[in-house]
Amino acid sequence: MELGTGKTAVVTGGGSGIGEALCRAFAAEGMSVVVSDIDLSAAEGVANSINDTGGSAIAVRTDVADRASVKELADKAFETFGGVHALCNNAGVVTFRSAAEMSDSDWDWVMGVNLDGVINGVTQFLPRMIEQGEGHLVNTSSSAGLFAPPGMASYVASKQAVVGLSEHLNHDLEAVNIGVSVLCPGGVATKIVEAGRNRPDEHGGPEDVPDYAEPIRQGISQGMPPSEVAARVLDAIRNQHLYIVTHEDTKAGVEARIEGIRAGYALND
């Protein structure tokens, strides 16, 4: 799909990290941008800076786990700009706990944002995008969506579900001119490890980064710049690429998973 003036992008989790970089990349292409985030002040900061440099952006507070909130986002985007051509279901959270350690609230929070947030984006935007005759969905997964690192049960479950959903949508939507990409980054310099700062009260309220996750935060802080990830996303939209992978060091995990699956088939020989 072509990007440029006259088109609009909506980005959830747009107030920081990869989401912010996506908003700025779309604006640099001349597109209008809807910056969506559960932290309205962060979204407003990004939108205002885009507008201050000659772009066109609005900020909308959205809880992606709440379908009514996502419907309000879609309504606002289409009412303001007349259409939505790129939807980035990007908002995501993580908690570093194994399955045995997870509480019900842990599961509900992570799955609600990471998986239900994508589903809600699809259900609330897709029919209107089909009606307008073109569009592209970008669903943010993770390298953990392609293989399973330890100690993050809900994150792995949610991100692998996003990959499967995106693969299905890619087949399902080809006939209606809607492209699909699934973003599977490795370590990127974002605040994902600090996602608990926005954990809602109904799921236990805000929480600090646990001590055992501090090395992960330090490692991610040295990761790939979000702007580089955003550039790859825009290239994928233009060229209709399904998978967007960013880090060569994640390939070994993917290959090990494939070999494990092959070994399972070999048992049938």
Side-chain angles (χ1 to χ4, degrees):
M1 186 183 76
E2 293 298 320
L3 303 172
T5 304
K7 295 189 175 181
T8 299
V10 175
V11 182
T12 66
S16 64
I18 292 173
E20 177 181 355
L22 286 167
C23 291
R24 296 187 186 282
F26 286 124
E29 295 291 324
M31 297 176 67
S32 299
V33 181
V34 180
V35 186
S36 163
D37 204 283
I38 197 167
D39 182 345
L40 180 59
S41 64
E44 289 174 335
V46 175
N48 289 340
S49 68
I50 289 172
N51 291 328
D52 288 345
T53 54
S56 175
I58 61 170
V60 179
R61 184 191 182 278
T62 310
D63 177 358
V64 296
D66 179 354
R67 186 159 295 175
S69 182
V70 179
K71 181 182 184 301
E72 292 175 2
L73 170 65
D75 290 344
K76 183 68 173 179
F78 279 91
E79 289 169 3
T80 303
F81 295 115
V84 172
H85 304 86
L87 169 64
C88 296
N89 292 309
N90 172 75
V93 297
V94 65
T95 186
F96 294 95
R97 295 183 177 93
S98 68
E101 299 168 327
M102 293 283 291
S103 68
D104 290 347
S105 291
D106 290 333
W107 281 108
D108 291 345
W109 177 52
V110 175
M111 299 302 286
V113 175
N114 292 0
L115 179 56
D116 291 346
V118 175
I119 294 169
N120 291 338
V122 171
T123 61
Q124 299 309 304
F125 282 84
L126 181 58
R128 295 185 239 195
M129 295 173 79
I130 292 173
E131 184 177 354
Q132 75 185 7
E134 69 169 345
H136 199 102
L137 305 177
V138 180
N139 299 325
T140 297
S141 178
S142 165
S143 58
L146 302 175
F147 62 94
M152 46 203 318
S154 56
Y155 188 75
V156 169
S158 64
K159 293 303 188 179
Q160 294 206 7
V162 169
V163 171
L165 174 60
S166 301
E167 290 171 338
H168 168 76
L169 290 170
N170 183 56
H171 293 296
D172 203 39
L173 299 178
E174 183 177 6
V176 292
N177 199 34
I178 304 295
V180 179
S181 298
V182 57
L183 172 60
C184 300
V188 181
T190 72
K191 295 182 179 179
I192 183 66
V193 178
E194 303 170 31
R197 69 191 187 279
N198 290 321
R199 185 165 175 158
D201 290 340
E202 62 265 33
H203 296 312
E207 59 182 9
D208 295 329
V209 178
D211 291 342
Y212 58 80
E214 187 60 34
I216 300 173
R217 176 163 65 173
Q218 294 299 322
I220 287 177
S221 69
Q222 304 300 316
M224 178 179 287
S227 58
E228 186 172 337
V229 179
R232 297 186 188 204
V233 170
L234 266 62
D235 180 71
I237 294 173
R238 291 190 182 97
N239 294 290
Q240 299 291 315
H241 294 160
L242 173 58
Y243 302 101
I244 310 169
V245 294
T246 59
H247 291 65
E248 284 295 312
D249 63 6
T250 64
K251 185 184 294 185
V254 175
E255 290 175 342
R257 181 185 186 190
I258 292 170
E259 286 304 311
I261 294 170
R262 286 177 177 158
Y265 280 105
L267 296 176
N268 298 326
D269 294 342

